[in-house]
Amino acid sequence: MSPEIWVALSVGAAFLQNLRSALQKSLSGRVGVLGATYARFLFAAPLAVLLAAVLGAGAGGAPGIAATFVLWALVGGAGQIAGQMLLLQVFAMRNFAVGNAFARTETIQAALLGALLLGDWLGPLSWGGVAISVAGVLLLSARNGWRGGILNRAAGVGIASGTAFALSGVSYRAAALALEGDGGFLLRAAFTLACVTVAQTLFMTLWMRWRQPGAVGAVLRAWRLAVPVGAVGMLASLGWFTAFTLAPAAEVKAVGQVEILFSLLTARLAFGERPSAQEIVGIALVVGGILLLVLTR
């Protein structure tokens, strides 16, 4: 498989993910953080199931499901829900671009989790990339000089979001590769996406009816904003899932760091936000460290 395919998929997924985050930021003002997270799954699930059904019919049937697939899919789904909610919270604490930068530490964390869970260890130069990215996060966290530093709440929430996303990325790759049969990488990705999205929707529906009665109805009433969130989110996830079947999660997410550039443009053009010079330097360090990581991995 040509490497250009998973690289193009990763860049496309990053663009769509940034667009979805921007849409969710607007939607969260109407239905809250939990409602905006829920909309991303609720309106994506039917599209994901339809795509998997079409591809499965063309391939002569769905892939076989093993116990390891179910385990990894559930872990990945839970991690993605947690990461999405934490990301929307950090948007409310810091500006759009910086919030994304904190969460994008997921690439470094995915490399660490890959080493621990899959035995994919890093070389000395790659660890240098880790150090540079950590320096960038420290700089980003120092909003008022260095007061609070890495221990301030926005940094903690953003990095926790990155941890959850890193775990979900590693888990989704493991889940897709655990499917049985030879239906091709696109069917594996679509089938994994459909199973995960349906499970996430069911879980969040039950959770919201228990914790926030009436919230489901509020999301449905805001369908004009919520439907685009779900559709764009489904396409972004399909890009990520397909790339995960072709390359390790850390490498896919490293290429996806181009989302930082998309988020800067979105923050400026859509929300009128101007990251400070310090924040721009911090973002550059995060991206530079990640590029060093993936190039020397």
Side-chain angles (χ1 to χ4, degrees):
M1 179 62 62
S2 172
E4 289 80 5
I5 294 179
W6 71 264
V7 170
L9 286 167
S10 301
V11 172
F15 174 81
L16 291 169
Q17 182 166 285
N18 178 71
L19 176 58
R20 187 210 68 215
S21 294
L23 292 171
Q24 279 185 301
K25 181 173 181 178
S26 299
L27 180 62
S28 63
R30 294 186 56 181
V31 299
V33 169
L34 189 61
T37 303
Y38 177 61
R40 180 254 178 277
F41 301 115
L42 175 65
F43 293 102
L47 298 175
V49 170
L50 177 61
L51 176 62
V54 170
L55 292 175
I65 297 178
T68 50
F69 168 82
V70 176
L71 175 62
W72 283 117
L74 290 176
V75 171
Q80 187 176 22
I81 290 175
Q84 191 62 61
M85 293 179 65
L86 290 167
L87 179 62
L88 291 177
Q89 287 182 11
V90 82
F91 283 160
M93 301 175 190
R94 299 291 294 270
N95 70 42
F96 185 81
V98 177
N100 260 314
F102 281 136
R104 294 293 76 79
T105 61
E106 68 177 298
T107 300
I108 299 297
Q109 299 188 67
L112 296 172
L113 288 174
L116 293 173
L117 298 176
L118 306 177
D120 192 8
W121 297 99
L122 305 179
L125 289 177
S126 297
W127 285 114
V130 173
I132 292 172
S133 287
V134 169
V137 172
L138 285 167
L139 189 61
L140 283 169
S141 71
R143 190 173 189 177
N144 298 311
W146 288 99
R147 186 177 59 188
I150 195 67
L151 299 179
N152 73 54
R153 187 163 179 257
V157 173
I159 293 170
S161 172
T163 301
F165 280 132
L167 180 61
S168 73
V170 172
S171 300
Y172 286 154
R173 172 170 167 79
L177 296 179
L179 288 171
E180 300 173 350
D182 190 25
F185 68 90
L186 185 57
L187 176 58
R188 286 175 177 270
F191 186 82
T192 304
L193 174 61
C195 292
V196 168
T197 307
V198 169
Q200 289 169 322
T201 302
L202 292 175
F203 171 78
M204 289 207 68
T205 299
L206 295 174
W207 175 264
M208 290 178 67
R209 289 183 66 85
W210 175 45
R211 300 292 296 179
Q212 293 188 13
V216 174
V219 172
L220 293 174
R221 287 191 294 273
W223 65 269
R224 288 181 177 83
L225 282 175
V227 168
V229 167
V232 174
M234 191 280 289
L235 292 174
S237 292
L238 180 62
W240 291 127
F241 278 48
T242 307
F244 288 150
T245 66
L246 302 173
E251 294 183 9
V252 170
K253 289 298 187 178
V255 173
Q257 295 310 302
V258 69
E259 184 183 354
I260 293 291
L261 302 179
F262 297 146
S263 70
L264 282 171
L265 291 173
T266 301
R268 178 68 183 95
L269 299 177
F271 301 119
E273 298 173 351
R274 291 178 178 272
S276 67
Q278 176 180 315
E279 289 171 339
I280 291 175
V281 172
I283 290 170
L285 286 173
V286 171
V287 174
I290 287 165
L291 288 176
L292 178 60
L293 166 67
V294 75
L295 292 174
T296 59
R297 190 170 179 272

